[in-house]
Amino acid sequence: MTDVSEALNDLFSVPNTQLSEDVERELSSILRLHSISPQELFYKWESYSIKMGGDIRLDIKTARDLRKDIQEVLERESREKTARGQEKKKVAQTPRGATNSGDVYGMLGGLVSNTPRPSANGSTIKRKSNFETPAPKASKNRSGTSPRRSNVPFPMNGVHAINFDKRGDVGKLENEFNDHILTPESLPTPPMEPRIKLKANTDMGKFTYKTMAMKLSESSEILDERIDLFMDLVQVRHKLEDQDFGDPATQSTSEIVTVGRIASDTSNAKLQKANLLLETSRRAGRGRRVPLDVSSIKHYEFFPGQIVALRGQNASGDYFTVKEILSLPWLDPPASIPQDLVSLSTRLQTSIPDSDTAHPLTVLIAAGPYSTNDTLDFSPLRALCEIALSASADALILHGPFIDAEHPLVRTGSFTLPDDFPVSPDTATLSDLFRYHISTALTDLTSNLPSCSIILVPSVRDAVSHHTCWPQDRLPKRDLGLGKGVQSVTNPVTLSFNEFVVGMTSLDVLYTIRREECISEAAKTIDKGATMRRLAKQLIDQRSFFPIVPPTDREALAPMEGVKIAKGTNIKSESEEPVEGQEDEPGAEYLAPFGASLDVGYLKLGEWQNVRPDLLLAPSALDPCTVVVENVMVINPGTLAKRKGFGTYARMTILPRDVSDEELERGEMVGHKLFERAKVEIIKI
C-alpha cells in the first residue's frame, strides 16, 4: 500500500475497515487533479458534509459529488476574481489645471487660472476669471443643517418649485375599467357612521420583530420550507406518487418531477436563459443547485426566487433538461354566505337617509411620494383629501412613502418650514413635519367626514418609520399625531372591506418582477394590459406579495432612482436639468436607493393565507392601470407626485353584490365577483 493510500485510509475509512477500490481511486484522482494533500482533502470533505446537513456516508456517489463541489467552488472563486478585476477603478486623470496651468493639484488656489493655454490648433484661449467676492461659508447649504422658516418653498439648485395650482390636466381620466358603471353623485348629507366594516385578516402583532437580527440559518430554513410546501401542493394537484419526484442534480436517464427555486449562477448578473439555475431544498436535493436547459420549452417566465415544478431529466449529470413546466395550484377565492350579502346590501341602503337603493361605495387609492423633488408642501395630498370630502368617500387608502427618505431635501435637511410651524426649526424633527402636513390634513378630513375610513400603509422608504425592513410594522400613530379615524396597518396587509378581501403592499413588486424576469420570445408582448396581467399572475401563482429572492441590488437601482450628491452639499436629482453657469463639483457621486430591504427570516408574513384576495393594490412605477387575473382585480394607481410633476390616483365605485333567489335557496357559499361590480378610474390629481 502506497503512502497516499495509507493516508487516505487513515483519514477517511471507518475503524477496522478499508476504503473500497473505486472510492480510493476517486479520492486519489481528486488529489492529483487539484494538487492537494490528503489532509486538505479531508478538511474539504468535512466542510462538504456539514453543508449537506450532517453525517453522510462516503461511497462512490458522494465521492463524485465531492469532486463536483470542489470544482464548483473553484469556478465560482475564479469568476468572482475576474469580476473584481474588471471593477477596479481606472487610474485617475491628471487634475484639472495641472497641465500648462502652473497650478498642480490646485495648490495656488486658482491664482493662475487665467494663464493662456494652447488649444488643439496651436492658438491660445484665455480662461475667464471670476473675481467676485466668495460667498461666506455660513450661506452654503450643509448636510444636516436645521430647516429654516419661510413661506416660500426652498428651491433646489436654483430650480424653483413647481406651482401645484397651475398644473395642467387636472382631473383628466387616464384609465377606466368597467366604464358601463356610472360614477355616483356626491351625497347631499354624508352618512355619520362608517359604511365599511374593516376586519384584519393579517396578524399584525407578528410584525413587531427586531430588525437587523437576520440569521442565515433561519433564513435558509424559511426558504427550504417554502419549496417543500409547494412540493406537497404539486403532488396533490397533479396526483403524483413519491417515486415520481427526484433529485435534479443527480445523473439519471429516468424522467423525474422536481420542485425548486429559480436562481442565477452569478449574484450580480441579470437572469438569462444561459445562467438559469434550479435551487433545491435539503429534502428534495440536499440544497444543491443545477443548471437548467430550457431550449425545448417555447413558453417560460422566470424570475429569481420563483418556485417552479419541472418535469425532465439529467442524463449527463451536468444540467437538468426541462421538458415540461407543471402548473402550481392556486388558493381558493374568498366567498360568503348569501344571507350575509343581503344584510350588507340592506345596511348600505339604510345608511343613506331617504334612499330606496343601496348607494355604491366610493374608495380612493393613492401612493406616495406626495411631494415633488423641489418642495415638501404636500399639496397633492391636501387636494386628494378635498376630493375625498366632496365625493363623500367611504375609504381613503394611502400607501407610503409619506416623508420619503429618498427625497433630496429630506436627505440633506435643506428645506424650509412655514412661518406658523409650531416647533422651533432648531428642534424640529421629521415627525413634527409629518404631524403638520399629513396628520393635520387627515384630521380635518375625519372631522368633516367621520364616515370615511382612512388606511395608511407604510413604506420601507418612510423616514418616520422605526421599522424599515419588509415585512414592515405599522407607523406609530401616537408619535405622528394620528387620530382614531385613521387606521395604521402593516406592509403588507390583508383586510376585509365588508364582504370582499383586499390585499395591499407599498413595495413595488410589479416593477421588480418586470426588471428581473427572464421570459421566452413567445411570452413577450407589447400590450401593457397583457404585461400587467402576466406580472399579476406571478403573484397569484406564488401566493406572495413579494416572491423575488434576492431582490434587485440597490446599486442597480441608482441610475434610475438615486440622488446625486456633489462635493460639499450641492445635491440634485440625476434627471434634473443642469443650471446655467453651474458645473458639477469634482467628487460627485450617486447615492443608492433603499431597495426592497427584505428580512428573509420573516418572509412568511408576506405570503397569502387561506384565500386569494378579491382586490390586490400594488402601486408601481409602471403605467397605472387595472386588470383582472383569475377573478382577482389588480390596481396600480400610480404615484400621487413625481420628481418634476404630479401623478394619479384611483377611484373605485363598488356596487352591492346581487344575490339571486337560487343562491338564497341553496344557502351555499358564493363568490364576491368584485371585478364585475366595481368601476375603477385612474385620474390625474
Side-chain angles (χ1 to χ4, degrees):
M1 185 178 294
T2 63
D3 294 339
V4 174
S5 177
E6 292 179 356
L8 290 175
N9 277 277
D10 291 341
L11 292 170
F12 290 92
S13 64
V14 181
N16 301 323
T17 59
Q18 296 289 330
L19 292 175
S20 61
E21 293 183 2
D22 52 354
V23 173
E24 183 178 332
R25 192 182 306 110
E26 184 69 25
L27 296 179
S28 300
S29 175
I30 297 175
L31 295 179
R32 293 191 302 271
L33 179 63
H34 298 286
S35 300
I36 58 178
S37 63
Q39 185 66 52
E40 186 176 354
L41 178 61
F42 180 71
Y43 291 151
K44 293 182 180 294
W45 165 252
E46 286 188 325
S47 176
Y48 176 75
S49 300
I50 295 173
K51 183 167 64 175
M52 290 296 103
D55 186 17
I56 61 176
R57 180 182 176 185
L58 178 62
D59 52 24
I60 184 59
K61 182 179 180 302
T62 54
R64 290 172 178 170
D65 291 341
L66 175 62
R67 174 200 287 268
K68 292 182 180 180
D69 183 75
I70 295 174
Q71 185 65 30
E72 289 174 358
V73 171
L74 290 176
E75 291 176 356
R76 184 168 61 251
E77 291 177 351
S78 177
R79 287 195 299 267
E80 292 176 354
K81 184 177 180 181
T82 303
R84 285 194 299 267
Q86 294 175 352
E87 293 174 358
K88 288 184 178 180
K89 295 183 178 180
K90 297 180 180 180
V91 178
Q93 298 178 355
T94 305
R96 184 182 300 174
T99 304
N100 299 326
S101 67
D103 185 9
V104 180
Y105 300 108
M107 297 174 63
L108 300 181
L111 295 178
V112 295
S113 60
N114 59 345
T115 303
R117 298 180 299 167
S119 63
N121 57 10
S123 61
T124 59
I125 301 175
K126 188 172 182 179
R127 293 184 60 186
K128 296 181 180 180
S129 300
N130 184 6
F131 294 103
E132 297 178 358
T133 304
K137 293 183 179 180
S139 66
K140 296 182 178 180
N141 300 319
R142 296 191 173 275
S143 178
T145 57
S146 300
R148 302 171 295 174
R149 288 187 187 274
S150 173
N151 54 6
V152 180
F154 180 76
M156 192 171 71
N157 291 328
V159 179
H160 291 279
I162 302 169
N163 193 329
F164 180 75
D165 296 330
K166 296 182 180 180
R167 68 193 186 281
D169 298 331
V170 179
K172 179 183 177 182
L173 185 62
E174 299 283 342
N175 191 283
E176 192 173 16
F177 180 82
N178 278 345
D179 55 355
H180 64 277
I181 300 177
L182 298 178
T183 302
E185 297 181 357
S186 301
L187 296 172
T189 55
M192 298 305 296
E193 297 293 334
R195 301 202 305 150
I196 292 180
K197 183 178 180 181
L198 296 175
K199 178 183 177 182
N201 300 332
T202 299
D203 188 357
M204 291 188 278
K206 294 182 179 180
F207 285 75
T208 58
Y209 63 89
K210 293 182 179 180
T211 60
M212 301 181 68
M214 187 165 53
K215 298 180 180 179
L216 291 179
S217 58
E218 295 178 357
S219 301
S220 175
E221 291 176 1
I222 291 296
L223 296 177
D224 264 10
E225 289 176 6
R226 182 164 168 80
I227 297 177
D228 295 339
L229 169 65
F230 274 89
M231 182 182 295
D232 296 336
L233 295 173
V234 168
Q235 183 173 6
V236 174
R237 167 67 182 276
H238 295 278
K239 299 178 181 180
L240 301 173
E241 302 294 336
D242 291 341
Q243 56 268 24
D244 294 331
F245 292 89
D247 183 358
T250 301
Q251 182 178 3
S252 174
T253 57
S254 301
E255 189 175 273
I256 64 168
V257 174
T258 182
V259 178
R261 177 179 292 104
I262 294 296
S264 174
D265 61 359
T266 53
S267 59
N268 56 354
K270 189 180 184 300
L271 193 66
Q272 296 177 353
K273 181 179 178 180
N275 61 10
L276 281 174
L277 295 179
L278 183 70
E279 179 183 285
T280 63
S281 66
R282 293 183 179 90
R283 167 188 165 189
R286 290 179 289 177
R288 292 186 296 178
R289 290 182 170 186
V290 58
L292 292 180
D293 177 15
V294 294
S295 57
S296 60
I297 302 296
K298 294 183 179 180
H299 191 286
Y300 57 83
E301 305 166 5
F302 296 134
F303 61 86
Q306 178 185 8
I307 305 298
V308 294
L310 308 175
R311 187 190 301 273
Q313 62 181 5
N314 187 351
S316 64
D318 298 326
Y319 54 85
F320 185 79
T321 302
V322 181
K323 297 183 178 180
E324 182 185 0
I325 301 177
L326 303 181
S327 61
L328 301 179
W330 294 326
L331 286 170
D332 294 330
S336 299
I337 300 175
Q339 189 59 45
D340 292 343
L341 297 177
V342 174
S343 300
L344 284 171
S345 179
T346 303
R347 186 169 68 85
L348 292 179
Q349 178 179 343
T350 57
S351 62
I352 306 298
D354 303 327
S355 178
D356 297 332
T357 59
H359 194 77
L361 296 174
T362 299
V363 179
L364 300 185
I365 307 160
Y370 296 93
S371 287
T372 59
N373 276 8
D374 315 272
T375 181
L376 284 171
D377 62 354
F378 295 90
S379 297
L381 178 61
R382 289 196 296 270
L384 183 64
C385 291
E386 294 175 359
I387 294 172
L389 179 60
S390 62
S392 300
D394 296 288
L396 175 62
I397 303 175
L398 301 176
H399 295 78
F402 297 97
I403 305 292
D404 191 359
E406 293 186 6
H407 195 288
L409 301 183
V410 173
R411 280 194 161 180
T412 60
S414 301
F415 58 89
T416 59
L417 298 176
D419 290 334
D420 59 344
F421 200 78
V423 182
S424 169
D426 296 331
T427 59
T429 64
L430 293 178
S431 296
D432 296 324
L433 189 70
F434 186 100
R435 283 192 290 266
Y436 180 84
H437 284 293
I438 300 176
S439 299
T440 302
L442 299 181
T443 301
D444 292 343
L445 177 59
T446 54
S447 61
N448 295 319
L449 189 63
S451 61
C452 182
S453 301
I454 303 176
I455 301 171
L456 302 187
V457 184
S459 167
V460 293
R461 288 165 49 182
D462 269 309
V464 294
S465 174
H466 63 275
H467 197 282
T468 56
C469 287
W470 194 94
Q472 186 180 15
D473 196 11
R474 295 163 282 188
L475 293 174
K477 289 184 59 176
R478 180 178 298 180
D479 295 345
L480 301 178
L482 298 172
K484 294 182 179 179
V486 180
Q487 304 295 329
S488 179
V489 298
T490 56
N491 176 26
V493 69
T494 304
L495 301 175
S496 290
F497 283 48
N498 291 344
E499 79 283 3
F500 59 91
V501 179
V502 183
M504 58 187 84
T505 179
S506 62
L507 206 57
D508 194 345
V509 58
L510 298 178
Y511 171 77
T512 307
I513 294 179
R514 181 70 181 87
R515 180 188 179 95
E516 297 297 327
E517 68 182 350
C518 169
I519 61 177
S520 62
E521 291 296 329
K524 292 181 180 179
T525 176
I526 59 174
D527 183 6
K528 295 180 180 178
T531 300
M532 181 76 167
R533 284 189 290 271
R534 175 170 54 78
L535 298 176
K537 184 178 179 298
Q538 296 284 21
L539 301 181
I540 298 175
D541 285 341
Q542 300 297 306
R543 307 183 177 197
S544 174
F545 286 101
F546 198 87
I548 304 99
V549 180
T552 305
D553 186 20
R554 293 178 60 201
E555 300 297 332
L557 292 174
M560 186 190 72
E561 301 180 7
V563 176
K564 190 172 183 180
I565 301 292
K567 184 179 180 182
T569 56
N570 172 29
I571 88 166
K572 64 180 179 180
S573 168
E574 180 193 5
S575 61
E576 182 183 329
E577 296 295 333
V579 180
E580 184 178 356
Q582 177 180 342
E583 296 182 358
D584 291 341
E585 299 183 43
E589 61 179 3
Y590 290 96
L591 295 183
F594 284 77
S597 301
L598 295 186
D599 194 314
V600 181
Y602 290 88
L603 285 185
K604 275 193 172 183
L605 298 177
E607 296 179 1
W608 295 359
Q609 304 294 331
N610 303 323
V611 296
R612 59 180 187 262
D614 294 300
L615 174 63
L616 177 61
L617 304 181
S620 174
L622 302 178
D623 292 338
C625 66
T626 304
V627 296
V628 175
V629 183
E630 303 302 330
N631 297 345
V632 179
M633 177 178 282
V634 184
I635 300 178
N636 169 23
T639 58
L640 201 62
K642 300 180 180 180
R643 291 185 179 183
K644 288 189 171 184
F646 304 101
T648 57
Y649 67 95
R651 171 173 175 159
M652 290 190 68
T653 301
I654 305 172
L655 301 177
R657 168 69 157 86
D658 291 332
V659 181
S660 65
D661 295 336
E662 295 180 358
E663 291 174 336
L664 280 174
E665 291 177 1
R666 289 197 303 266
E668 299 175 354
M669 304 281 282
V670 294
H672 299 148
K673 298 182 180 180
L674 181 68
F675 60 93
E676 294 181 353
R677 56 189 176 96
K679 177 181 182 179
V680 182
E681 301 166 281
I682 307 296
I683 306 173
K684 192 86 171 179
I685 187 62

